[in-house]
Amino acid sequence: MPLSRSVNTDSQMFKLLSLGLHISHDLPNCLNLHNTTTAKASPLPGLAQPTPLRNQLKDTQHAKNAGNVYSQHIDGWDLRVGLEIHAELSTSHKLFSSAAPTVTSAPNTHATAFDTAIPGAQPKFQSGVLLPALRAALALKCDIQARSAWDRKHYFWWDQPQGYQITQYYEPFAKNGHVALYPWDDPDPVDILFEPNGISIGVKQVQMEQDTAKTTLQPPDLHLLDFNRAGLPLVEIITRPEIKSPKTAAAVVRKIQALLQSVGANSTGMELGGLRADVNVSVRRKGQRGPMEYAGVTDLGQRTEIKNLSSFKAVEDAIVAERDRQTGVLEAGGVIVGETRGWTLGTSNTRRLRGKEGEVDYRYMPDPDLEPLRIGQDLVTHVLLSMPTRPDDAFKQLTTVDVSHGLSVKDAKTLISLDDGERLEFYLDTLRHIDMLLCESEVKAADTAKRVSKTVSNWVLMEIPNFISAHSLPFPYKYDLHASTSNLDPELVMSTPLLAAIAIRLLRGGITQQSARALLPHCTFLSDPESRSPQAKNETTMQARAGAAQILVDRLIAEQNFWVQPVDEELYVGIARDVITVNQEMAQKAKDELSKTQGKKRGKLMWLVGQMAKRGKEKGQKVELKEAERFITDALFPPDDTT
């Protein structure tokens, strides 16, 4: 059962006191991160107050924008970067205990005896952790090992109560993968220039390991420990030192996060603390051989490590700072020392933390309490076959491979990245229902597919989000229909069939964009449970649901009097006169342009035509552009006009 905050042993207090920390004698209150107050120091009179960090960051950014922007490459030097990325796995248990993996609950409410190193407590591998770990490794194209084992990595710090971390450094469960970067991943342009088919960064290994407890400093010297995080399941992804620029390093971290989230292995990325990165940086002069080797990569310079970077920008900026420091030392005749360094947000330099510890210092040893982990090929095959479409494959499909989509790079990236792929599925399912509603002539039309894709992507990425944001509503698939107390028509749930029905009427010109938007307040923004059932993907079921949605939408359009009305001659004349009256200066310019060029230049005339179409839409009437051009020309040159 979860351990309460009151269960804390004298041995733990001894460990903390041995570090010279001032720990309260009431240990349960020490572990409680709530109800604590810190006295705010009053400024001393006569002393200048430090510039707030936020202002410092703004000043730094302004300086960069003014032209003081660092270069991704330095002439005469080669940079090599390797990454160690720690990602939290999406699971229902910790790695070696049944406690829930939460970091948002009250402190120390999800910690078992093993998590807090109570003597005699034994680790028990939670098999459910293996599935997201496998998905992560397969997304990185790794070879899954039939046998892997657990190591104890010994080091003492108060957030590591056992005095060691259980990891898989020597026998990881996955090896030899790679991450591919393409132009749409936004790597350094110079790097991608020499790799037109994509940049491939090797992944040495992926290993499972446990996270540490969370430490919170309460000034001046009280450290509060929350063991909810202790034992959370992580995968550590170790890349080969093949990255050549800071921007590309940040792109690799961003790509790995996207891959893990796309397969459901990680749900809390860098922005929420669920993924963090360590970077190993080395430089050497171009044309010279380096003395170091790692993971089969030779001719490396002496590397240093920068730990615990928690944003993509931090990864890039920290690498720039350390690269510049190392090149400066070497150009001055100095020697780079292998060590662990720190970097602070907003600074342009790194600082020494400690000398780099070799592996022997950690006293790695096999964990005697855990059996080796054996993974059958049948399980690997099952997980591989159940994996969703990879982001790269989906991107290519949306932009180049399938011409029926033809989306922009920006729209494709947004669709893929939002809501763990659910936004993309909402878009695709809407297209499937539109296909059920198209008539034969529309299917054969060359431009139908692209018009449909453009319309649906606009509604999925712009129109619906704008509406739900303004009304504080969730996206349709994020809310439970049965839990709703809404008094709106439950049949009008904003489901993919309903959006398909609205889009069809919009594409056929039956309603205007403004009228289509006006339908949204009449829809219920709740999830449609039927759309998630396997039966909903059946073609017959989809046909029935699409037809039913079309009837509902048509009924709503009629009730609200939203149908586009045909424009008669009298209305065209009235709209043309109104447009000329409101835009007299432009009307005169259009008249002069037509007269001087004998009708060859028509830009200003067509602007007036556009104004007629806009006024027609406002009135809920469809203005035909050719007719509008005829009537606006007649209005500019009436029969009694002698000019």
Side-chain angles (χ1 to χ4, degrees), residues 488-501:
L488 297 178
D489 187 345
E491 288 186 309
L492 288 170
V493 171
M494 178 44 72
S495 57
T496 50
L498 199 71
L499 178 56

Side-chain angles (χ1 to χ4, degrees), residues 432-439 497 535-551:
R432 287 191 284 266
H433 282 87
I434 288 179
D435 288 342
M436 299 290 176
L437 297 171
L438 292 172
C439 63
Q535 293 79 9
K537 305 302 180 184
N538 177 275
E539 186 171 339
T540 304
T541 305
M542 289 181 68
Q543 184 80 51
R545 284 166 55 78
Q550 191 70 79
I551 293 171

